[in-house]
């Protein structure tokens, strides 16, 4: 077997069970992986230097094809209401078939760290069939020093074979696509999909299972740092603005997607960023745009000009979920350590497709737990297969597909950490205003940035707040630089009756969703949720009329600029 690169010869591919591979390339860096990807016709090079690949029919994750092995270690620790199970016997057959499928093939292996905190770090070895997948995960996880590779022993092994097709009857899975996680043997098998995001999220899923046992809260969030005591966490699903709102001038980016929060502080799980590329512009997101122009970047499903090779970030003909993966140090002022102290602010981002949540609200500790467990947002088109337009959803802890344990485990950790540090918590709606999706307009990013900046610089601590009628949230009456009408959602709607009915509908959805946690949380957390008011149409209209400035009383909704 041909082997290239640096690796631990005493713990190589044979230790996992691979046999008769044509070749295995260990820990290749960007130039070699570019060459291999081009040689194998996996990708092309864009103007600016990025490696661009297409993922075929899978342009997003396949959460319904993900399963966890059900055994003695997971029987009573995994949240089976939210996770699919696979038997030990089926996994054994799947693993044997993966190893057989790899026979005679070239593989690429990367030895990487997951976790900037050495005390919580996981050594992850990732075998991939594609060279560009190897560069992708190398960009996104933490790269060890070269002298550490000779002694590297994995805690977690991931095997990614897109050409493998699972057999549901033989392997106990749902389709030909499979993401199978064995937490006991610390193995993840990914087959039947070329979407590289499955690799990164498998690492996150494993950390979400292991870290709560050592009192570390794993989080689907971005994080940045404004000063020694000014750490901010941004919870949110894909498309809600985690990356955009955290990668800003004047604040050091700790990371854009996955972090741990311990008694020592916050630390990044990764060494790179995975940003949405659709409609990326140099004017609106200059740092991410500049990062996209580096050699070493991987782009997924971004359309290139056939003559110049220039990326067309506005082209969604392949998917809305176009992506860019790049090392964290491609962002100016990014943290060099991936670690920081205790957070001062926690921001929960919701992309409200109904257009009734206020654009920003302050949460008390019980409300913070309620909204963390609820994880309300909208799935954005293209993030998952079959999602072609925004859909309202509740994704517990802002990351249900990656949460193996019961959500209350993570909620209790959050409450303890928030209470111990006196953290300020905020709910920010980056979704719609002036009506629901299809009628209203998306909240301008400049407005969301202004609101977040006011929360982080402490100025909102001195604002006057009103209590939202439907959601019980403390909403500021005014924020410098923001049209006051935007802060009161009903004032952006042309029909107050429609607003009242829509708000009541969303309140009912919150109640229905939270019922699953009612027997596991304190009464105070349940009481922190939204309240059904069912005001008469006349009362709703009176409130709306009273809220309108004179110039807006012609029943026109506020125009939302880009």
């Amino acid at each position: 077997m041909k082997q290239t690169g640096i690796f631990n010869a005493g713990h190589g591919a044979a230790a996992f069970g691979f046999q008769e591979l044509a070749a295995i390339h260990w820990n290749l860096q960007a130039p070699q992986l570019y060459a291999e990807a081009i040689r194998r016709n996996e990708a092309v090079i864009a103007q600016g230097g990025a490696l661009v690949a297409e993922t075929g029919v899978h342009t997003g994750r396949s959460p319904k094809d993900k399963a966890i092995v059900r055994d003695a270690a997971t029987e009573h620790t995994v949240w089976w209401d939210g996770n699919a199970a696979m038997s030990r016997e089926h996994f054994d057959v799947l693993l044997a078939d993966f190893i057989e499928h790899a026979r005679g093939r070239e593989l690429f292996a990367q030895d990487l760290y997951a976790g900037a905190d050495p005390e919580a770090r996981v050594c992850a070895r990732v075998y991939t069939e594609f060279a560009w997948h190897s560069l992708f995960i190398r960009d996104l996880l933490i790269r060890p020093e070269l002298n550490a590779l000779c002694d590297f022993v994995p805690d977690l092994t991931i095997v990614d074979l897109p050409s493998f097709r699972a057999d549901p009857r033989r392997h106990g899975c749902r389709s030909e696509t499979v993401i199978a996680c064995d937490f006991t043997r610390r193995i993840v098998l990914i087959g039947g999909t070329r979407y590289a995001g499955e690799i990164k999220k498998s690492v996150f899923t494993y950390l979400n299972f292991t870290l709560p046992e050592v009192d570390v809260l794993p989080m689907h969030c971005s994080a940045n740092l404004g000063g020694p005591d000014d750490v901010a966490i941004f919870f949110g699903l894909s498309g809600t603005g985690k990356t955009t709102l955290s990668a800003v001038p004047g604040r050091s980016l700790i990371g854009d997607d996955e972090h741990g929060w311990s008694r020592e502080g916050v630390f990044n799980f990764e060494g790179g960023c995975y940003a949405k590329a659709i409609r990326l512009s140099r004017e609106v997101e200059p740092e991410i745009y500049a990062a996209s122009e580096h050699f070493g970047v991987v782009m997924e499903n971004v359309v290139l000009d056939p003559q110049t090779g220039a990326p067309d970030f506005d082209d969604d003909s392949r998917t809305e979920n176009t992506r860019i993966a790049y090392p964290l140090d491609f962002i100016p002022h990014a943290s060099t350590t991936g670690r920081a102290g205790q957070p001062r602010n926690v921001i929960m981002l919701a992309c409200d497709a109904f257009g009734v949540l206020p654009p920003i609200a302050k949460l008390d500790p019980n409300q913070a737990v309620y909204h963390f467990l609820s994880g309300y947002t909208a799935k954005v088109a293209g993030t998952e297969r079959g999602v072609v337009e925004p859909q309202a959803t509740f994704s517990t802890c802002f990351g249900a597909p990656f949460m193996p344990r019961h959500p209350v485990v993570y909620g209790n950790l959050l409450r303890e950490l928030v209470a111990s540090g006196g953290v300020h918590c905020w709910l920010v709606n980056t979704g719609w205003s002036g009506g629901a999706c299809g009628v209203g307009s998306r909240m301008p990013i400049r407005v969301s940035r202004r609101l977040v900046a006011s929360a982080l610089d402490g100025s909102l601590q001195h604002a006057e707040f009103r209590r939202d009628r439907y959601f019980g949230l403390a909403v500021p009456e005014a924020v410098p630089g923001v049209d006051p009408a935007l802060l009161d959602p009903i004032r952006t709607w042309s029909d107050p009756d429609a607003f009242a009915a829509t708000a009541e509908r969303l309140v009912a959805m919150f109640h229905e969703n939270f019922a699953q946690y009612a027997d596991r949380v304190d009464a105070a957390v349940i009481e922190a949720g939204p309240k059904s008011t069912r005001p008469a149409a006349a009362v709703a209209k009176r409130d709306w009329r009273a809220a309108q400035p004179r110039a807006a009383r012609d029943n026109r909704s506020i125009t939302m600029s880009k």
Side-chain angles (χ1 to χ4, degrees), residues 209-234:
F209 180 74
T210 60
L211 290 182
E213 292 182 340
V214 293
D215 294 326
V216 175
L217 174 63
M219 303 177 293
H220 185 210
C221 71
S222 59
N224 64 23
L225 177 67
D229 300 313
D230 183 14
V231 178
I233 290 172
F234 299 77

Side-chain angles (χ1 to χ4, degrees), residues 21-275:
L21 298 177
I24 185 162
H25 305 289
W26 294 93
N27 297 305
L28 299 189
Q29 299 186 36
Q32 299 99 317
L33 291 170
Y34 264 64
E36 290 293 331
I38 298 302
R39 177 179 69 86
R40 295 153 59 95
N41 295 316
E42 296 175 4
V44 297
I45 302 176
Q47 182 185 100
L51 192 67
V52 184
E54 296 183 35
T55 63
V57 297
H58 293 82
T59 58
R61 292 179 291 101
S62 300
K64 293 181 180 179
D65 292 311
K66 183 177 181 178
I68 297 170
V69 173
R70 193 166 193 159
D71 58 18
T74 60
E75 177 67 36
H76 301 294
T77 54
V78 165
W79 177 43
W80 295 114
D81 287 346
N83 292 276
M86 176 178 283
S87 71
R88 163 69 62 199
E89 293 73 22
H90 278 129
F91 187 88
D92 287 343
V93 173
L94 182 67
L95 176 59
D97 288 352
F98 258 66
I99 290 173
E100 181 59 30
H101 187 79
R103 189 186 300 268
R105 298 177 185 270
E106 275 187 294
L107 295 184
F108 298 85
Q110 290 288 336
D111 292 331
L112 302 161
Y113 296 143
D117 182 352
E119 297 299 318
R121 175 175 291 165
V122 167
C123 295
R125 174 167 289 173
V126 183
Y127 293 101
T128 64
E129 185 176 3
F130 292 162
W132 79 266
H133 277 192
S134 193
L135 179 58
F136 168 89
I137 199 62
R138 180 178 176 83
D139 279 349
L140 288 183
L141 292 185
I142 299 170
R143 297 159 292 281
E145 297 292 333
L146 289 179
N147 58 13
L149 295 176
C150 294
D151 300 314
F152 191 96
V153 177
D155 303 310
L156 171 68
T157 301
I158 297 173
V159 184
D160 171 57
L161 303 178
S163 65
F164 182 88
R165 296 291 180 268
D167 179 343
R169 294 184 64 182
R170 176 175 172 81
H171 300 126
C173 53
R174 193 186 72 98
S175 73
E176 290 186 340
T177 300
V178 63
I179 304 98
C181 309
D182 185 335
F183 292 144
T184 301
R185 286 188 285 186
R186 298 173 296 180
I187 298 171
V188 177
L189 305 175
I190 303 171
T193 173
R194 294 166 59 183
Y195 184 68
E198 297 286 11
I199 307 172
K200 129 187 184 70
K201 289 304 184 185
S202 294
V203 178
F204 186 43
T205 300
Y206 178 79
L207 292 170
N208 282 334
F209 180 74
T210 60
L211 290 182
E213 292 182 340
V214 293
D215 294 326
V216 175
L217 174 63
M219 303 177 293
H220 185 210
C221 71
S222 59
N224 64 23
L225 177 67
D229 300 313
D230 183 14
V231 178
I233 290 172
F234 299 77
F235 286 108
L237 291 184
S238 175
T240 57
K242 294 193 317 300
T243 300
T244 300
L245 293 174
S246 56
V248 293
R251 296 183 68 86
S252 175
L253 181 67
I254 303 170
D256 85 324
D257 197 45
E258 299 167 4
H259 294 78
W261 183 359
S262 70
R263 298 297 188 271
E264 305 302 317
V266 173
F267 62 95
N268 195 357
F269 288 166
E270 302 182 300
C273 301
Y274 191 37

